[in-house]
Amino acid sequence: MFLVAVLAQTGAFKSEFAIYKGPDSRYINATITHADLAEGNFCRDGTAVKGAAGIANYLGIEATAYLRNTTGYPEGNTTDWTDMLLCVNHTTRSYGPAQLYTLKSEYEAQFPKLAEDTPGMERLAALGSVDDNDNDLALSSGNVTEAAGPLNLTWVQMGGSWEEHPFIHPNLTYAMKNFTRSYAEWANPFNFGHYHPRYDPHTFTIPMELRGSMLVYIFLLGTAAIKATWRTAIGSLLSAYSLFIGRWDMAAFLGGMLLSEHDVRRSSDLPPLAPGARGRGGDVQRTTKGAAALRWAGIVLALYFLSYPDSGAEYTPGFAYLSTWVPKYYNKLSGWMFYEAMGAVLLVACIMRSPGLVRLLESRLPQYLGKISFSLYLVHGPVLHSLGFWIMPRLFDSFGKTGGYAIGWVVLLAVTFYLSDLWNKKIDSWSVTVGRRVEKMLAED
């Protein structure tokens, strides 16, 4: 993080204002589209489209049913305006998925009378275009009333999620003070919140790993004298309880510990590896076709859980019902933690018993990716926030969104892997060596 802070002060990162408010923000912000009935056969302002099919084509979506599902207009039936000529225009606004959960309260505060009779998703559609800086789309209480009609429509296509970006301070002294304060808060082992440091928000998991490791050590120490079956039962109950009350990170650590112990105990009963053998992919016991099918079903279910949206799950096809089962201890933006923790443990459990997948993960490429995984974890965020925010808008301008994404993906992936490999060789391996030397020195008499 210190290196990122230094690079930010030297100009390696664009300012947050330039990213989210400058000209390039149109590639990040949401698109707000407004449609009105055309006057006659032409549009004085905006683009003329015909009916729901024209709107869907204008928005770049596959079916008109999506219009009905997201806005509730008009009265759940798009056929009422299929043949009508509509005038549409759009603008952009800093407006991401996380803001789904503030819209209702903001709408009710601004339009209390309308809120009483307006369904939830219509509130989303109406408030989506409230922006004092957009004269063509700014809504007053008068035309919000008209928005309840079938021919004054607003759609909000959510933009990207905002992520913490490195601070750029006017002087080095203040930059050092802010970094010191941020680092102290991040490194506090007794802070059980999710602290996302500005200099690399992905490192919020490192304090969680420390706390999870402490929990595992304490649990193993406290249960070392009891039978393995009882330790497994107690650990499973504690993991499930942690998951339910919102401590998904502790649940995942306990679940991983139990899987690891089970694997170690099973491996201890197997004959030793032959000289030159690479792994135990062939030692996984053969099972019946029914057991294999059940295992693959578990893998599919785990991947489904791991695909749970970070936000807006209650509006996402395939996940809306699942969102109703998230325990009350999770807020609207943390439901993914509940399902993805379960998915991770379930996926590992199923892979451990799948001979083909075990052999695949023991091959050279997955082993290399595992070797550099920590370096990749540290490097990818700063690369995306520095080089990524510089080149992606230019690529979009030159090659369009599809071509820009393809070229940018290749370039950023190559740079990220190169730096990850370099960091692993020069920094990560060196720090591990130093740590082992210190451990050896402290352990010797």
Side-chain angles (χ1 to χ4, degrees), residues 71-87:
T71 65
Y73 296 125
E75 301 298 329
N77 185 5
T78 58
T79 59
D80 293 347
W81 41 287
T82 299
D83 298 323
M84 296 181 179
L85 189 67
L86 302 174
C87 294

Side-chain angles (χ1 to χ4, degrees), residues 173-235:
T173 301
Y174 187 78
M176 288 301 299
K177 288 181 179 179
N178 185 79
F179 171 78
T180 304
R181 181 171 60 250
S182 177
Y183 185 85
E185 293 177 0
W186 171 79
N188 180 6
F190 303 105
N191 177 11
F192 281 80
H194 297 172
Y195 183 72
H196 294 68
R198 279 281 190 155
Y199 301 100
D200 192 354
H202 307 106
T203 58
F204 83 98
T205 61
I206 292 180
M208 290 183 172
E209 293 168 12
L210 174 61
R211 293 192 294 269
S213 299
M214 293 169 61
L215 175 64
V216 169
Y217 296 151
I218 293 172
F219 177 82
L220 290 176
L221 181 63
T223 59
I226 67 176
K227 295 181 179 180
T229 52
W230 280 105
R231 180 165 54 251
T232 300
I234 295 172

